[in-house]
């Protein structure tokens, strides 16, 4: 994020695919680049001295220029996972968020200033005329001359560096992306002392300083924008909220748990007048998509191939499976075996207590949600537009002709399904297959297939696929993760 020529704070929203401008005095937010624009995954932005805004579009590997009139032109599509960006006059510099990445100046003849970056991120020109940038994997900060040369190590042992920023007095501040809420302050021109700002905000992502040298920060996990004072106090400007949410589950006590891409979260039992109190982060866990509760355990899927189990009692997380093809929905059988919808492989797999993976059923199209009712397993299939019951390893059709069915749960003998393409909640009789519409106009995101030119660097974040989860509470209500507007809805069943 960066302050624009109009004095507003411009913020790139990676998950939403949009850019907003924030009036930090009032908290008013205006969407200046909507999600149906040219950007897929805007990650960082900077302004040149002509007032043009440059944006890194991480997943498709593009850098864009938006002129002051709002018109976009493509600068390059030949950068892998472009992330950090800085403008010096009208010169534009970007770095790559990959192991062994580059820092380069864009133009008719791009010039590589540095190689071997251990995942670059937000960078900035220093008062000495050199570019400062982090190595996220190694906890280091480097600098390099604008016209190239040997990169110089500025600081080592910096906790989880994600963004390098200078305040108006030339002091270097390095944000931590971890759980600590650290901002490391480095005095490069005076004593060389190092100190830390410790705040209640964690999972920090970026920062910008206004003309009065006030520091504003963002979080990749919690969203929102806050002012961060030198003593660690914060003032929320844009409320924190949900990035999805995607999967949802209910524990035995009726607690609601959400898979929100970068974290596990819980909504407040009663809505608060203070938006920041409506959601609590319970654990930072990257790329969670599906979630299922089993006592103190929360089992999660990641669309990048992992199934993990988080123990709420001990605070530990272990990996149960790796290398699956886009696992989405997850459920738990009575014996503790996990059932996972492996959407990319068209099958349902089981993961036992010994973490061995076996195939329960295959031959499906793109299974999304999975639910268990006694000894029966029910599955939604987005590609085949259907709901199946798995009997002895064979998918038996229960209902078809549906519009991208996703979340699924069973309560009191009725199968409930989120029909994402038509934004409806359906009730299906498991005996007759009769379908009843229980609710419509739900705020769920439209389903999306692979986008042209979309790629995911192995091990790095791509764009999460839309998934509207559904779960049933002990008192018979349904809880919907409404990923179309970032809300959580409680729906009463008949």
């Amino acid at each position: 994020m960066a302050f624009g020529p109009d004095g507003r704070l411009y913020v790139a929203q990676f998950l939403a695919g949009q850019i907003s401008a924030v009036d930090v005095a009032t908290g008013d937010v205006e969407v200046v680049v909507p999600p149906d624009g040219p950007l897929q995954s805007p990650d960082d932005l900077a302004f040149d001295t002509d007032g043009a805004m440059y944006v890194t579009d991480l997943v498709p590997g593009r850098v864009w220029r938006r002129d002051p009139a709002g018109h976009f032109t493509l600068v390059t599509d030949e950068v892998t996972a472009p992330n950090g960006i800085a403008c010096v006059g009208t010169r534009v510099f970007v770095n790559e968020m990959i192991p062994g990445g580059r820092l380069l100046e864009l133009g008719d003849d791009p010039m590589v200033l540095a190689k071997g970056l251990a995942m670059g991120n937000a960078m900035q020109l220093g008062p000495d005329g050199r570019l400062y940038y982090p190595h996220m994997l190694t906890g280091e900060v480097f600098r390099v001359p604008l016209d190239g040369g040997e990169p110089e190590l500025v600081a080592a042992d910096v906790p989880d560096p994600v963004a390098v920023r200078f305040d108006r007095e030339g002091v270097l501040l390095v944000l931590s992306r971890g759980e600590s809420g650290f901002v490391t302050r480095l005095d490069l021109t005076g004593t060389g002392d190092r100190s830390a700002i410790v705040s209640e905000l964690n999972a920090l992502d970026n920062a910008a300083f206004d003309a009065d040298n006030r520091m504003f920060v963002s979080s990749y996990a919690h969203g929102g924008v806050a002012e961060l004072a030198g003593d660690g106090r914060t003032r929320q400007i844009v409320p924190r909220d949900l990035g999805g949410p995607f999967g949802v589950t209910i524990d035995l006590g009726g607690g609601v748990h959400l898979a929100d891409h970068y974290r596990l979260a819980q909504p407040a039992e009663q809505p608060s007048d203070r938006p920041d109190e409506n959601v609590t982060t319970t654990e930072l866990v990257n790329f969670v998509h599906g979630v299922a509760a089993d006592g103190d355990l929360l089992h999660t899927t990641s669309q990048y191939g992992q199934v993990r189990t988080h123990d709420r009692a001990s605070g530990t997380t272990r990996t149960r499976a790796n290398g699956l093809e886009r696992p989405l929905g997850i459920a738990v059988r009575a014996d503790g075996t996990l059932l996972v919808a492996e959407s990319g492989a068209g099958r349902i797999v089981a993961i036992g207590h010994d973490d061995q993976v076996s195939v329960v059923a295959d031959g499906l199209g793109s299974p999304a949600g999975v639910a268990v009712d006694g000894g029966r397993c029910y599955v939604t299939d987005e590609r085949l537009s259907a709901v199946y019951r798995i009997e002895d390893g064979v998918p038996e059709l229960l209902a078809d002709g549906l519009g991208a069915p996703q979340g699924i749960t069973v309560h009191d003998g009725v199968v409930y399904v989120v029909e994402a393409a038509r934004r409806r909640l359906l009730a299906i009789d498991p005996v007759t297959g009769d379908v009843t519409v229980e609710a419509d106009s739900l705020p769920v995101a439209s389903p999306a297939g692979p986008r042209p030119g979309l790629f995911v660097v192995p091990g790095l974040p791509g764009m999460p696929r839309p998934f509207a989860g559904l779960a049933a509470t002990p008192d018979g209500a349904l809880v919907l993760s409404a990923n179309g507007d970032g809300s959580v809805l409680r729906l009463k069943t008949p």
Side-chain angles (χ1 to χ4, degrees):
M1 59 186 186
F3 280 94
D6 59 2
R8 294 188 296 173
L9 182 63
Y10 285 73
V11 183
Q13 295 160 258
F14 177 81
L15 292 181
Q18 66 185 31
I19 293 176
S20 297
V22 180
D23 185 326
V24 296
T26 65
D28 292 341
V29 179
E30 179 191 356
V31 176
V32 293
V33 181
D36 58 356
L39 304 175
Q40 290 185 17
S41 52
D43 197 88
D44 203 358
L45 56 85
F47 289 87
D48 70 9
T49 50
D50 290 340
M53 180 172 67
Y54 289 83
V55 184
T56 52
D57 201 352
L58 190 150
V59 175
R62 297 171 182 148
V63 179
W64 297 88
R65 179 183 187 271
R66 180 180 183 268
D67 67 25
H71 302 127
F72 275 91
T73 55
L74 181 65
V75 178
T76 182
D77 59 0
E78 298 182 355
V79 184
T80 301
N83 191 324
I85 188 165
C87 292
V88 180
T90 56
R91 298 171 69 180
V92 182
F93 302 84
V94 300
N95 62 38
E96 297 175 314
M97 196 183 71
I98 57 173
R102 303 171 296 167
L103 191 163
L104 61 162
E105 180 178 6
L106 302 182
D108 295 335
D109 187 17
M111 179 179 70
V112 176
L113 277 69
K115 297 180 179 180
L117 275 66
M119 293 184 66
N121 209 305
M123 61 183 180
Q124 191 171 1
L125 180 72
D128 58 0
R130 287 178 282 188
L131 276 176
Y132 287 68
Y133 56 94
H135 279 202
M136 289 201 293
L137 292 183
T138 60
E140 298 171 312
V141 175
F142 285 83
R143 62 185 175 190
V144 67
L146 291 181
D147 294 322
E150 188 66 25
E152 177 187 354
L153 178 65
V154 175
D157 300 320
V158 181
D160 299 313
V162 68
V164 172
R165 290 290 181 251
F166 286 90
D167 70 10
R168 298 289 179 173
E169 297 175 353
V171 176
L172 175 62
L173 295 106
V174 186
L175 279 69
S176 166
R177 71 182 187 277
E179 297 187 23
S180 62
F182 263 60
V183 176
T184 302
R185 182 192 284 119
L186 299 166
D187 187 350
L188 301 180
T189 58
T191 63
D193 289 345
R194 179 187 294 202
S195 59
I197 302 172
V198 183
S199 81
E200 63 177 5
L201 302 174
N202 61 10
L204 297 173
D205 188 61
N206 215 319
F209 290 86
D210 69 2
D212 296 321
N213 207 27
R214 295 183 301 169
M215 184 181 188
F216 297 88
V217 298
S218 63
S219 165
Y220 66 84
H222 314 299
V225 173
E227 180 181 355
L228 176 60
D231 59 5
R233 290 179 299 166
T234 59
R235 180 174 67 92
Q236 205 68 31
I237 307 300
V238 179
R240 289 170 280 182
D241 216 327
L242 294 163
F246 302 108
V248 60
T249 190
I250 313 294
D251 63 28
L252 290 176
V256 178
H257 301 269
L258 304 166
D260 199 35
H261 194 62
Y262 294 115
R263 60 175 174 166
L264 290 169
Q266 284 193 276
E269 292 185 9
Q270 297 295 329
S272 169
D273 292 335
R274 295 185 58 185
D276 287 333
E277 297 179 349
N278 282 328
V279 179
T280 301
T281 298
T282 54
E283 187 72 16
L284 293 178
V285 186
N286 278 343
F287 316 138
V288 288
H289 217 63
V291 61
D294 181 18
D296 285 330
L297 304 179
L298 292 176
H299 307 288
T300 66
T301 64
S302 160
Q303 66 182 35
Y304 308 110
Q306 297 84 33
V307 175
R308 291 169 288 197
T309 295
H310 173 66
D311 189 327
R312 292 188 287 156
S314 65
T316 59
T317 301
R318 71 184 179 104
T319 299
R320 307 294 301 277
N322 257 318
L324 300 181
E325 295 186 46
R326 292 202 321 274
L328 289 181
I330 185 169
V332 188
R333 288 200 313 218
D335 62 359
T337 300
L338 307 182
L339 297 180
V340 178
E342 192 179 4
S343 65
R347 62 185 188 175
I348 304 299
V349 297
I351 303 175
H353 291 281
D354 58 359
D355 296 343
Q356 294 299 306
V357 178
S358 59
V359 178
V360 174
D362 57 13
L364 296 163
S366 182
V370 57
V372 172
D373 181 36
R376 296 185 177 88
C377 173
Y378 296 91
V379 179
T380 58
D381 194 313
E382 286 188 277
R383 184 183 305 166
L384 300 181
S385 306
V387 175
Y388 294 89
R389 179 174 48 235
I390 308 300
E391 296 281 359
D392 297 324
V394 178
E396 294 188 355
L397 182 65
L398 181 61
D400 60 1
L402 309 181
Q406 293 180 349
I408 183 171
T409 192
V410 183
H411 177 72
D412 199 22
V414 180
V415 179
Y416 293 95
V417 172
V418 181
E419 189 185 25
R422 298 176 181 133
R423 302 170 60 195
R424 302 190 301 188
L425 173 68
L426 306 179
I428 304 175
D429 187 314
V431 177
T432 65
D434 291 342
V435 177
T436 304
V437 177
E438 297 291 335
D440 57 15
S441 301
L442 298 174
V444 297
S446 297
R451 305 178 197 176
L454 183 67
F455 71 94
V456 176
V457 179
L460 297 182
M463 294 300 292
R465 292 175 61 84
F467 180 75
L470 190 67
T473 67
D475 64 0
L478 299 179
V479 177
L480 170 69
S481 54
N483 58 336
D485 66 359
S487 64
V488 182
L489 301 183
R490 182 182 177 93
L491 309 171
K492 287 292 186 178
T493 58

